[in-house]
Amino acid sequence: GESVGLHLPTLSVQEGDNSIINCAYSNSASDYFIWYKQESGKGPQFIIDIRSNMDKRQGQRVTVLLNKTVKHLSLQIAATQPGDSAVYFCAENNYGQNFVFGPGTRLSVLP
Amino acid sequence: DADVTQTPRNRITKTGKRIMLECSQTKGHDRMYWYRQDPGLGLRLIYYSFDVKDINKGEISDGYSVSRQAQAKFSLSLESAIPNQTALYFCATSDEHNEKLFFGSGTQLSVL
């Protein structure tokens, strides 16, 4: 199998609880951010994005918060389900330049 | 059918061999990318192409080459594979109006 995420930080949450995954980004000029979900054996899948003129954006069961002051991005997952178990990583983009990806966090949902 | 298809899914090869990884897409996107993923590291960009006649080096292009055979096809070659090229490789696409990347399922390459 893949060796993705062998050394990743892990967040374990109880099924039904809320999850918060954090990401510190590097470039204060970055203006566009994406959260991706990567399940075992699959490619990264888009979850939600946010532009730098916003500080919060909500999707279905997910919310992204952006704090430009401290260059911090978070992903909140409400009522975490077993299907949410995956590696989550953030990506930042600076005005159409190529994305810079974080290393990711492994989310484990406990029954 | 997958929008971004990578072949093969898995490959084991020996040091010094030439390897080609292929990517095709049905999304109609002009922009295509090759990334590699290593344990504990973020995705790193190898090469990218904004249209058929455009090829650009990414962060870690040494030891790799690419070919954009058509809008829908972008292949990655390792001319002489070495063990530290063992990694999970992803192809991705995007269009010029929406920077969002769409990824294939990946190719796990092992160089012995």
Side-chain angles (χ1 to χ4, degrees):
Chain A
E2 286 87 9
S3 58
V4 169
L6 279 179
H7 309 294
L8 293 177
T10 298
L11 174 67
S12 297
V13 298
Q14 211 68 39
E15 182 178 354
D17 287 352
N18 297 333
S19 303
I20 300 176
I21 301 171
N22 297 302
C23 176
Y25 63 93
S26 58
N27 188 348
S28 58
S30 291
D31 70 320
Y32 180 56
F33 305 86
I34 297 181
W35 277 101
Y36 282 94
K37 173 185 180 182
Q38 187 176 13
E39 297 174 275
S40 182
K42 296 183 179 180
Q45 297 173 282
F46 171 87
I47 302 173
I48 192 167
D49 58 359
I50 189 168
R51 296 205 175 271
S52 58
N53 61 352
M54 303 172 69
D55 53 21
K56 180 178 180 179
R57 191 165 188 221
Q58 289 185 288
Q60 187 176 10
R61 278 202 310 120
V62 295
T63 300
V64 54
L65 299 177
L66 175 62
N67 185 330
K68 294 182 286 294
T69 302
V70 295
K71 294 188 290 184
H72 184 267
L73 196 66
S74 68
L75 176 71
Q76 300 179 0
I77 304 173
T80 311
Q81 302 169 0
D84 295 327
S85 292
V87 173
Y88 292 82
F89 52 89
C90 63
E92 61 180 297
N93 191 294
N94 176 11
Y95 290 97
Q97 300 300 310
N98 291 309
F99 280 96
V100 175
F101 290 85
T105 296
R106 181 179 299 282
L107 176 65
S108 293
V109 181
L110 307 173
Chain B
D1 289 338
D3 294 320
V4 183
T5 302
Q6 292 184 233
T7 56
R9 288 298 310 275
N10 292 279
R11 182 72 184 267
I12 300 173
T13 191
K14 295 182 179 180
T15 297
K17 293 293 187 181
R18 184 178 188 274
I19 295 296
M20 180 182 288
L21 309 183
E22 300 192 31
C23 177
S24 63
Q25 52 114 347
T26 57
K27 300 191 75 67
H29 288 167
D30 286 326
R31 301 181 176 191
M32 298 187 74
Y33 309 79
W34 276 104
Y35 288 89
R36 69 176 276 174
Q37 187 174 44
D38 297 276
L41 298 178
L43 290 162
R44 291 184 292 165
L45 183 62
I46 305 172
Y47 269 96
Y48 61 102
S49 168
F50 282 178
D51 64 44
V52 174
K53 297 180 181 179
D54 178 72
I55 299 290
N56 303 283
K57 292 183 177 181
E59 179 187 351
I60 52 165
S61 60
D62 288 350
Y64 301 95
S65 63
V66 291
S67 174
R68 185 78 185 268
Q69 300 96 323
Q71 188 209 34
K73 296 183 181 296
F74 192 36
S75 61
L76 175 72
S77 294
L78 286 68
E79 298 301 327
S80 179
I82 55 177
N84 75 4
Q85 291 178 311
T86 293
L88 186 55
Y89 289 85
F90 287 104
C91 175
T93 74
S94 69
D95 70 40
E96 61 179 338
H97 304 297
N98 184 348
E99 308 99 299
K100 189 189 307 178
L101 292 169
F102 294 87
F103 288 87
S105 297
T107 295
Q108 178 63 56
L109 177 66
S110 297
V111 184
L112 305 179

